[in-house]
Amino acid sequence: MSTVGADLQITGVEAGYGGSTVLTGVDLDVAAGETVALLGRNGVGKTTLMSTIMGFVPTLRGSIEVAGKDVSGLPTHVRAAEGVAIVPQGRRVFAPLTVHNNLRIASGRSGDWDLDRVYQLMPRLKERRGNRGDQLSGGEQQMLAIGRALLLGPRVLLLDEPSDGLAPVVVQQVTEVVRELAGEGMTVLIVEQDLRAAFAVADRVAVMEKGRIVHESGVADFRRDGDRARRLLGVG
Ligand SMILES: Nc1ncnc2c1ncn2[C@@H]1O[C@H](COP(=O)(O)OP(=O)(O)OP(=O)(O)O)[C@@H](O)[C@H]1O
Ligand SMILES: [Mg+2]
């Protein structure tokens, strides 16, 4: 399926590691301002797709277009300049640096986002600005990782399991941040195992199985068919 004006258009993408192919032909579009939740069982290739979009993993076949420009052969920093930023699985903030310095080293590259706007979106980070990365709770680390990505001024934000390992109340806080970004028109592709969180932020879901997208539907439609969801995701 191809969408005119898609901010992110993935067509027939194959990718993997060494000799083994993980992505076997991914087709997925995310329209400008849309939020798509990428769902799927463990190990189906969700993170590999995020890494391939970012250029950490090379595209063997197919194309990845950002706002109409094919970036699939370009290095990561060029893709970032074209407007793609990632909040990686497992966060990875710089432990010895303060919140403020973690953010400061990411800033200065974007007209849209500066430190003040990040602190406004996530006041908790401002309160913790003098604390080091390793003194933060999981939720605060996740917000810091989001803040760093935003300071790159993305038009497309990739989030890989932002709720992973967080307490339910903290998942809600992080979800609220993503909702606000989506509400401001950010284009978002989010991998999410927490279905409640996925449904709260997404317009649409895409389900991956064995390295390809096997189902796409609107959130409301997806929620109506519990049997199909269970079949695709193996959850209750
Ligand atoms: N760096 C790597 N080198 C080799 N194989 C890898 C690497 N990363 C992932 N794989 C393999 O690629 C496949 C897909 O993994 P991937 O991490 O993309 O899945 P995932 O859907 O994100 O899983 P999860 O839900 O557990 O995060 C798995 O078989 C995994 O073992
Ligand atoms: Mg993953």
Side-chain angles (χ1 to χ4, degrees):
M1 188 174 60
S2 95
T3 311
V4 176
D7 252 357
L8 179 63
Q9 186 161 349
I10 300 163
T11 311
V13 163
E14 298 180 18
Y17 307 92
S20 75
T21 303
V22 173
L23 304 182
T24 55
V26 173
D27 295 306
L28 179 65
D29 292 355
V30 186
E34 189 183 33
T35 296
V36 173
L38 179 61
L39 311 177
R41 293 180 167 93
N42 291 123
V44 294
K46 304 180 300 293
T47 295
T48 302
L49 178 59
M50 298 301 233
S51 300
T52 306
I53 295 168
M54 224 42 242
F56 304 145
V57 169
T59 304
L60 303 175
R61 235 181 244 277
S63 67
I64 298 167
E65 287 177 41
V66 177
K69 177 173 177 169
D70 188 354
V71 301
S72 56
L74 301 174
T76 296
H77 71 273
V78 179
R79 300 187 199 204
E82 292 295 332
V84 194
I86 188 166
V87 179
Q89 189 164 14
R91 322 186 245 281
R92 295 202 210 111
V93 301
F94 295 115
L97 292 189
T98 62
V99 166
H100 197 68
N101 284 335
N102 259 285
L103 291 173
R104 221 167 42 82
I105 56 172
S107 67
R109 284 185 253 183
S110 142
D112 285 349
W113 285 89
D114 58 17
L115 279 161
D116 283 346
R117 190 167 169 208
V118 167
Y119 284 145
Q120 211 176 343
L121 177 69
M122 296 176 284
R124 186 73 189 143
L125 285 183
K126 189 167 188 179
E127 291 165 23
R128 301 287 262 152
R129 67 205 293 280
N131 285 105
R132 289 166 22 154
D134 57 6
Q135 295 170 326
L136 303 178
S137 70
E140 290 163 350
Q141 284 185 25
Q142 192 58 261
M143 287 183 196
L144 179 52
I146 292 171
R148 272 197 330 207
L150 291 175
L151 287 167
L152 298 170
R155 66 188 297 152
V156 178
L157 183 64
L158 311 174
L159 296 133
D160 196 349
E161 297 205 35
S163 67
D164 193 21
L166 302 181
V169 59
V170 185
V171 171
Q172 270 180 30
Q173 291 164 5
V174 171
T175 300
E176 196 45 51
V177 169
V178 178
R179 273 169 62 97
E180 258 187 69
L181 290 170
E184 288 174 24
M186 182 79 76
T187 303
V188 178
L189 179 61
I190 180 170
V191 175
E192 190 50 87
Q193 302 273 29
D194 183 325
L195 287 185
R196 190 197 288 247
F199 296 156
V201 294
D203 302 302
R204 211 147 58 75
V205 303
V207 182
M208 187 175 252
E209 227 169 53
K210 293 185 192 152
R212 60 203 311 157
I213 304 296
V214 296
H215 173 82
E216 286 183 71
S217 59
V219 163
D221 176 7
F222 190 75
R223 296 184 73 161
R224 261 194 300 273
D225 193 341
D227 286 344
R228 179 178 61 195
R230 270 186 291 280
R231 201 168 60 244
L232 289 165
L233 303 173
V235 293

